Amino acid sequence: MSWEIIHRAMEFVAEEMGVMLKRSAISPNIRERMDHSCAIADEEGRIVAQAEHIPVHLGSFSVGVKNLLRQVELEEGDMVVVNDPYISGTHLNDVMVMAPIFQGRLLGYVVNKAHHVDVGGPYPGSLNPHAITLYEEGVVIPPVKVVRRGEVNGDVFRFVRENFKVPDASLGDLNAQISANLVGISKVRQIVERYGVERVREAWERTMDYGRRLALSEILKWGEGSGEDQDFLELDELRRIRVRVEVREGVRADFSGTDPQVDAPFNAVYGVTFSAVSFVVRALLGKDIPTNDGFYSLIRVDAPEGSLVNPVKPMAVGGGNVETSQRIADATFKAFSHLMPVPAAGSGTMMNVMMGGLRGRYWAYYETVGGGTGARPDGDGVSAVQVNMTNTLNTPIEVAERQYPLLFTGYRVREGSGGSGRFRGGDGIVRSFKVLERTRLSVMAERFRIGPWGLKGGGDGKPGRVTIIRATGRKEEMPGKFSTVLERGDEVVIETPGGGGYGRVETGEGNASRQV
């Protein structure tokens, strides 16, 4: 069946775009951690195919591409760049580049997002723990053509050079994004030349229809029903995220009852909320489902405007993408737990670490640190991995030490941090380092006060912890969100949460090994 061949080819094109982006990028955050995502859309902005990249990026494409198409008209040879979260659907660091595919006529679009390590603003990494508005987080780029009819727009590159704090890395990463789109366009055209425009367009329609029918057939196996639950963000006070999920001819998630938006960078734009719900539904499906518009069309998300999960511009949203997204996923899993077996809560934080300073030129470093997944109804959780809305790799210590004034002192599994139960939660990570010169450190993390929840009698995972050991020997226990200055020789010890346990501990002879 040629439509299925074309369907698989499009998925491989999206993957090839990602390979080009990774290999061409300058910053370790993209080159090593693979904090980027790629997709292909049709002329209406419907997602046809996407690579297996970052969950919080991928679901947002179905929102961001359509938002962008309402604001720009693209000709052959154009590319548009944007990082405005209220358009692109995530946060300022995720720079989105989209280009049209022409083959005699407009066929569709290639699009990618890449997390730039710094997009300006007062703090290293542009994730400001104290931001109230978007403008305190970094530079907002509205939709602008970075390439116009095949010619690079030098004004955009000059703007980036003067406003991003690590311009060489940023410009290198932006060039990598442009290159990835060029690869995508070339590969799609090759497929069109082989099969013809009409067969490709027909294959796209059949691919999306197939994705919808296959996903719906799996969702219907769940049976009709609804479940409601909540989880909390650890801000100045606990802030509620409440969701009711309904399974009928698809899935509806209603966030009525969620707390209002806050004067802090932990509001999640609608694209993030849609991504988190989509991730949960996709994770609960039992088959390999094409993740395209057919799948996304089965998911409806109602998020009250002006709430934590759908703020009004210009509220700050940097942490909403990386932390609130995790809590939305947790709350949605918990709501589904009233309908079907689901895992206990994972670590529930990306444990964002941002550092920077001056050593002749400005340097900026960003990474997330993994944790434990929640125990499953039929097995233990997994230790020391990225959980839920992130799918990045770790930054290799050798790379970090070579490029930044850091000396790592520890990197190991945080044994015993997973929750107890018939099945144990996965353990978190201990990652520690010393700074070799004066450095500004910021951390954005969650699950410091409330450990990841267990299910069916399983115990909670251990909360996260950050300790600063000053060169003088003084120890400082830090909260989950802070910014401070480190002096040469100061050490930072990061301990990430373990996942929750599942089921009560059985004390019979055959289960003695499950006792905690």
Side-chain angles (χ1 to χ4, degrees):
M1 298 190 302
S2 62
W3 76 266
E4 189 168 0
I5 294 172
I6 293 170
H7 154 60
R8 293 296 181 187
M10 291 298 164
E11 290 184 331
F12 280 117
V13 170
E15 294 287 353
E16 280 194 75
M17 290 171 63
V19 171
M20 170 58 79
L21 183 42
K22 167 184 164 59
R23 291 182 175 176
S24 304
I26 298 298
S27 69
N29 190 56
I30 300 172
R31 192 182 67 244
E32 304 291 344
R33 297 186 63 246
M34 296 180 64
D35 197 346
H36 63 265
S37 299
C38 302
I40 300 167
D42 71 359
E43 60 184 309
E44 298 175 22
R46 298 178 298 173
I47 301 302
V48 173
Q50 61 186 40
E52 293 183 359
H53 288 153
I54 312 301
V56 75
H57 290 169
L58 295 173
S60 73
F61 278 141
S62 65
V63 175
V65 170
K66 292 173 184 175
N67 284 345
L68 193 51
L69 290 178
R70 285 191 283 267
Q71 301 207 19
V72 296
E73 291 186 10
L74 296 174
E75 300 177 343
E76 186 169 4
D78 288 350
M79 288 196 200
V80 62
V81 62
V82 63
N83 79 335
D84 184 337
Y86 290 88
I87 298 173
S88 66
T90 47
H91 64 170
L92 286 176
N93 291 83
D94 290 336
V95 176
M96 178 170 152
V97 181
M98 188 171 79
I101 309 165
F102 279 87
Q103 189 79 336
R105 52 161 296 178
L106 176 65
L107 291 177
Y109 301 89
V110 290
V111 61
N112 66 68
K113 279 187 179 182
H115 182 117
H116 285 235
V117 70
D118 192 287
V119 292
Y123 284 77
S126 304
L127 289 174
N128 177 355
H130 310 297
I132 295 175
T133 69
L134 200 62
Y135 312 114
E136 296 153 50
E137 298 187 292
V139 175
V140 182
I141 304 175
V144 60
K145 291 183 180 180
V146 65
V147 179
R148 185 180 290 113
R149 296 182 182 180
E151 296 294 326
V152 171
N153 183 351
D155 290 339
V156 173
F157 276 68
R158 282 188 287 274
F159 179 85
V160 169
R161 181 170 292 282
E162 294 303 320
N163 288 280
F164 288 20
K165 294 197 288 294
V166 284
D168 289 343
S170 299
L171 292 175
D173 292 345
L174 183 57
N175 272 319
Q177 291 182 262
I178 292 171
S179 297
N181 278 353
L182 290 174
V183 166
I185 293 169
S186 173
K187 296 296 183 179
V188 172
R189 282 176 172 169
Q190 288 176 25
I191 295 168
V192 172
E193 288 169 1
R194 180 169 182 177
Y195 293 99
V197 170
E198 293 310 316
R199 289 179 74 183
V200 168
R201 286 171 53 83
E202 179 189 358
W204 287 3
E205 291 292 341
R206 293 191 66 174
T207 293
M208 290 184 283
D209 179 64
Y210 174 69
R212 179 184 175 85
R213 287 188 291 107
L214 190 57
L216 182 58
S217 69
E218 292 299 308
I219 289 171
L220 292 177
K221 294 177 183 177
W222 299 348
E224 293 189 353
S226 63
E228 187 170 2
D229 221 309
Q230 62 189 19
D231 210 329
F232 296 89
L233 284 174
E234 302 167 347
L235 303 183
D236 53 343
E237 57 186 77
L238 295 181
R239 303 287 179 148
R240 176 185 293 105
I241 293 175
R242 187 164 189 86
V243 60
R244 175 184 174 85
V245 295
E246 297 180 7
V247 179
R248 299 286 186 269
E249 291 286 319
V251 175
R252 177 183 179 226
D254 183 357
F255 286 87
S256 299
T258 294
D259 282 350
Q261 63 190 24
V262 292
D263 291 336
F266 296 95
N267 306 290
V269 294
Y270 182 82
V272 167
T273 303
F274 184 84
S275 290
V277 174
S278 300
F279 164 77
V280 172
V281 175
R282 181 67 185 83
L284 293 175
L285 293 175
K287 284 190 176 180
D288 182 14
I289 306 293
T291 313
N292 56 35
D293 189 77
F295 163 74
Y296 290 125
S297 69
L298 295 170
I299 299 170
R300 173 181 167 184
V301 175
D302 296 329
E305 191 174 74
S307 69
L308 273 171
V309 294
N310 188 13
V312 176
K313 191 175 182 179
M315 301 308 295
V317 299
N321 177 77
V322 292
E323 293 301 303
T324 310
S325 65
Q326 299 280 57
R327 199 60 62 252
I328 295 168
D330 282 346
T332 306
F333 270 123
K334 205 171 186 182
F336 269 113
S337 74
H338 300 287
L339 297 173
M340 67 185 72
V342 305
S347 61
T349 178
M350 294 192 195
M351 192 63 78
N352 305 272
V353 180
M354 293 77 65
M355 288 181 282
L358 283 169
R359 49 173 181 171
R361 304 181 68 182
Y362 197 88
W363 64 275
Y365 176 80
Y366 170 76
E367 73 170 355
T368 61
V369 186
T373 72
R376 295 157 286 183
D378 59 355
D380 294 339
V382 181
S383 299
V385 292
Q386 300 281 348
V387 176
N388 286 353
M389 301 308 295
T390 178
N391 191 30
T392 55
L393 303 177
N394 72 315
T395 304
I397 286 173
E398 298 83 357
V399 172
E401 289 185 340
R402 185 174 69 242
Q403 293 195 217
Y404 305 103
L406 302 173
L407 175 67
F408 282 81
T409 56
Y411 191 28
R412 64 184 187 276
V413 173
R414 187 187 180 194
E415 295 182 3
S417 56
S420 63
R422 181 166 182 263
F423 297 108
R424 291 188 57 90
D427 289 330
I429 291 173
V430 178
R431 188 165 167 95
S432 57
F433 56 85
K434 289 184 178 181
V435 296
L436 304 182
E437 58 187 57
R438 199 167 198 262
T439 298
R440 164 70 68 173
L441 166 72
S442 298
V443 169
M444 274 188 180
E446 278 280 317
R447 296 295 194 199
F448 270 51
R449 286 185 260 169
I450 303 174
W453 39 264
L455 278 178
K456 306 297 183 182
D460 294 346
K462 281 189 178 179
R465 184 181 181 191
V466 173
T467 306
I468 296 177
I469 305 172
R470 299 291 181 178
T472 59
R474 186 178 80 253
K475 289 187 177 181
E476 300 174 8
E477 296 292 333
M478 309 302 293
K481 302 162 186 67
F482 69 89
S483 186
T484 190
V485 174
L486 303 175
E487 301 295 343
R488 177 183 174 88
D490 288 351
E491 183 178 17
V492 180
V493 181
I494 298 165
E495 301 172 70
T496 66
Y502 193 99
R504 290 181 174 83
V505 177
E506 297 181 19
T507 57
E509 182 179 343
N511 292 289
S513 63
R514 296 289 179 192
Q515 297 183 49
V516 179

